[in-house]
Amino acid sequence: VPGTSLLCLQLCAGKENNVLLLKKSNFDRALKETKYLLVQFSNPAICGHCNLSEEFAEAARQLKKEAPRIQFGKIDVTHQHDLRKEFNIREFPTVKFFVDGSREDPIDCKGVRQASVFITWVKRRTGPSTVLINSTDQAEAIINADDFVVIGFFKELHNDSVEVFCETARDVPEMPFGMTANEDVRANYGIQKNTLVVFKKVGVQNGTDVESFVSQTSVKIFDVPVENHILLFTPTNSETFNAIYENYKSAAVEFRGKIMFVLVDTNETRNGRVFEYFRIRDIDVPAVRILNLTSNAKYKMPADEVTVENLKEFCQSYLNGKAKLHLSSEEIPEDWDKMPVKVLVGKNFNRIVFNKTTTVFVMFYAPWSYDCRKLLPIWDKLGEQYESRKDIIIAKIDVTANDILSVGLDRYPFFRLFPAGPGYQVRSSWGRTWRQRCTHIRVSVCVRMCAHVRVRKESFKQENFSPHLLNTGFIAVKNLN
């Protein structure tokens, strides 16, 4: 009956706590009848111990009246093998966002585990990702409403920097974002250049107040004086934390101004995207990594024990150019060569592309990139055209999950042709307007680090602070509640 299709869908599919129960028989209909559909792919045997489903359902309940065009759905992959294979579901839980009824290239919703964050994530995908600030009073109201607030101060709101900032806001739903180009607002905080500021509310004896923002908690994204960051991943409640932490502080003093030392609390769920970026697992901690913000190159400390000597040796070898790059790779998929476009990972990349008898054309892509997602269907069509050719391979590789030493990447998507023959002459090409894209991951990680900052004042005198929080020698990324 016209006008009752969604109700019929809910009755046919079944609904549990405001979440549609989806399967192969009704999935197409769900996509067709909902503009926005957020789907949780779950495996009860694996996900039964987590509370994601409860948080997911709570978000669905809260948005039911406020935003009825946004629907939540759940798929049990233990009974829906075709849907699991179609969307390449390998980890649990996995959440994907479908827009305008299309099942092509759904957006991954990664690192979100709380109802409030699900709501913010969806709203920023379906509407503005930031609040436009037009007055000082509005800025003050936004700053005082939350423990952490990220505000971008810009000279004008139509440039690459603003686009990167808005894209970052979509992927960091845990915190409110605002932006302004208002001269009075910028003057009130003493900001002249394009600057990102993280405002941190701190507790005082009789309530709460806000710290002196610009002098202690601002970070210039586009003019970072310290490009080398070392990160220690460890739980702060472990029995060995105090000893490791003291060693870390001791080593930080020697490299002040050369390497910024950061502590990441692995118990803090809001740091999930930082773990994901560095591919740190629970079994890896405590772990130490160095990141160069200019090249995005990552280095792993070769020693397992976090001692002062090991830290100093690692930092010095990095500064001397002797540290070895840490290259990550996904496992080779069983069906990597079954589709027209072959799937490459770090472990099979060299074997496939450096081939004397086959010409290989590779698309290097990032799943978070809007432009990459738009180009992937076109890349699939190119693969279909050359599927019958034995001397040509059309391939793709996720550069956020696989590090390739032989190819320098600074923008996404990135295309490279590896011609057949002994010369291995490599030809490259890029898409258009990619400069702002390659900045996105770095900005996102930077925002998360700064938003969970606690400066160890007992270790560094007040006069050591700089307006950019980058000469303090040591900061900690952790929960401040």
Side-chain angles (χ1 to χ4, degrees):
V1 179
T4 62
S5 57
L6 183 57
L7 176 60
C8 290
L9 168 66
Q10 294 173 0
L11 292 175
C12 294
K15 204 166 188 183
E16 179 182 274
N17 297 326
N18 301 295
V19 177
L20 295 170
L21 301 179
L22 301 174
K23 48 191 176 181
K24 184 178 179 180
S25 61
N26 61 28
F27 184 70
D28 284 339
R29 189 174 177 184
L31 288 178
K32 191 176 298 184
E33 298 187 9
T34 56
K35 183 174 180 59
Y36 301 111
L37 180 62
L38 191 67
V39 179
Q40 175 192 350
F41 294 83
S42 65
N43 183 335
I46 298 175
C47 306
H49 64 283
C50 69
N51 66 342
L52 178 69
S53 293
E54 297 177 5
E55 296 291 330
F56 193 76
E58 176 59 22
R61 185 191 67 80
Q62 293 185 35
L63 282 178
K64 183 178 180 180
K65 292 184 178 180
E66 181 182 348
R69 63 178 181 167
I70 301 172
Q71 289 288 322
F72 286 62
K74 184 165 64 173
I75 296 175
D76 182 350
V77 298
T78 59
H79 300 296
Q80 306 300 322
H81 301 291
D82 290 343
L83 292 175
R84 176 179 183 175
K85 184 177 181 180
E86 177 182 354
F87 297 108
N88 195 27
I89 306 300
R90 299 183 181 181
E91 298 179 355
F92 301 100
T94 291
V95 180
K96 291 182 178 289
F97 189 51
F98 297 83
V99 179
D100 290 330
S102 174
R103 62 199 303 150
E104 300 293 331
D105 277 336
I107 303 170
D108 287 320
C109 178
K110 294 185 176 180
V112 179
R113 293 293 181 268
Q114 297 175 327
S116 59
V117 183
F118 274 121
I119 292 172
T120 302
W121 190 94
V122 171
K123 284 183 175 180
R124 290 183 184 176
R125 291 286 172 177
T126 58
S129 60
T130 66
V131 177
L132 182 60
I133 299 172
N134 295 312
S135 68
T136 301
D137 288 342
Q138 185 184 5
E140 288 294 315
I142 292 173
I143 290 167
N144 285 284
D146 288 273
D147 291 340
F148 293 106
V149 178
V150 183
I151 296 181
F153 294 84
F154 302 98
K155 290 186 177 181
E156 51 96 9
L157 296 179
H158 302 286
N159 56 35
D160 292 350
S161 303
V162 174
E163 185 173 346
V164 172
F165 182 75
C166 292
E167 195 166 323
T168 300
R170 292 188 184 96
D171 283 343
V172 188
E174 302 94 323
M175 290 169 285
F177 276 66
M179 66 179 182
T180 185
N182 185 282
E183 292 184 3
D184 293 336
V185 177
R186 288 167 48 211
N188 183 66
Y189 296 101
I191 295 173
Q192 302 298 324
K193 298 181 180 180
N194 287 351
T195 303
L196 179 148
V197 181
V198 178
F199 295 90
K200 175 170 69 75
K201 186 180 294 184
V202 294
V204 293
Q205 190 169 3
N206 296 316
T208 60
D209 201 353
V210 181
E211 284 194 358
S212 177
F213 316 121
V214 178
S215 65
Q216 294 189 15
T217 57
S218 69
V219 174
K220 285 192 175 181
I221 294 177
F222 306 103
D223 184 23
V224 182
V226 179
E227 66 175 6
N228 304 313
H229 290 199
I230 184 171
L231 301 97
L232 169 63
F233 295 83
T234 187
T236 56
N237 62 351
S238 68
E239 295 180 356
T240 59
F241 172 73
N242 290 334
I244 292 175
Y245 176 65
E246 290 301 322
N247 291 340
Y248 202 54
K249 285 197 299 182
S250 298
V253 175
E254 185 170 326
F255 296 95
R256 184 179 301 165
K258 299 178 182 178
I259 301 177
M260 186 166 75
F261 279 63
V262 176
L263 170 66
V264 182
D265 184 0
T266 57
N267 283 333
E268 172 52 64
T269 57
R270 290 180 295 182
N271 294 333
R273 289 297 292 274
V274 183
F275 309 152
E276 178 185 317
Y277 179 70
F278 287 92
R279 296 158 200 159
I280 300 294
R281 302 168 300 172
D282 291 339
I283 61 174
D284 296 327
V285 297
V288 179
R289 301 286 189 271
I290 285 179
L291 171 69
N292 182 283
L293 291 183
T294 300
S295 65
N296 287 328
K298 296 184 282 288
Y299 302 81
K300 177 182 178 180
M301 188 172 75
D304 292 329
E305 295 186 16
V306 185
T307 65
V308 176
E309 293 75 17
N310 289 338
L311 288 166
K312 288 184 177 180
E313 183 178 350
F314 180 39
C315 291
Q316 197 59 55
S317 66
Y318 168 76
L319 293 175
N320 293 339
K322 296 181 179 180
K324 292 184 178 181
L325 279 170
H326 178 58
L327 304 177
S328 299
S329 173
E330 294 178 293
E331 293 300 321
I332 301 175
E334 294 181 1
D335 57 349
W336 73 271
D337 60 346
K338 298 296 188 292
M339 302 298 289
V341 175
K342 312 308 176 188
V343 179
L344 302 182
V345 296
K347 292 184 177 181
N348 69 354
F349 183 84
N350 288 344
R351 175 170 58 85
I352 302 303
V353 303
F354 296 115
N355 191 313
K356 294 182 180 181
T357 61
T358 308
T359 294
V360 184
F361 196 15
V362 183
M363 175 182 177
F364 299 82
Y365 73 96
W368 51 261
S369 167
Y370 172 82
D371 300 288
C372 289
R373 294 197 299 269
K374 284 292 185 182
L375 282 172
L376 281 170
I378 299 174
W379 201 245
D380 289 337
K381 292 180 180 179
L382 180 65
E384 292 172 2
Q385 292 186 18
Y386 287 93
E387 187 174 13
S388 61
R389 294 283 298 268
K390 303 300 182 183
D391 58 333
I392 296 176
I393 290 178
I394 307 299
K396 63 182 179 181
I397 183 168
D398 179 356
V399 292
T400 66
N402 300 278
D403 297 320
I404 306 301
L405 184 61
S406 57
V407 180
L409 301 171
D410 63 351
R411 63 200 74 187
Y412 315 117
F414 182 94
F415 302 91
R416 215 161 233 205
L417 181 69
F418 298 84
Y424 299 133
Q425 294 181 351
V426 179
R427 299 169 186 173
S428 307
S429 62
W430 295 269
R432 56 185 175 83
T433 65
W434 305 127
R435 183 176 67 81
Q436 66 269 37
R437 303 298 175 191
C438 68
T439 311
H440 172 77
I441 283 289
R442 184 178 70 184
V443 173
S444 181
V445 172
C446 183
V447 166
R448 291 174 183 278
M449 289 178 180
C450 298
H452 302 119
V453 147
R454 169 177 283 174
V455 180
R456 297 296 181 177
K457 297 182 180 179
E458 68 273 14
S459 302
F460 303 99
K461 296 180 180 179
Q462 182 68 28
E463 56 264 31
N464 286 332
F465 286 99
S466 77
H468 315 308
L469 194 63
L470 295 177
N471 294 328
T472 58
F474 182 83
I475 66 175
V477 182
K478 62 178 298 180
N479 184 5
L480 299 183
N481 293 336

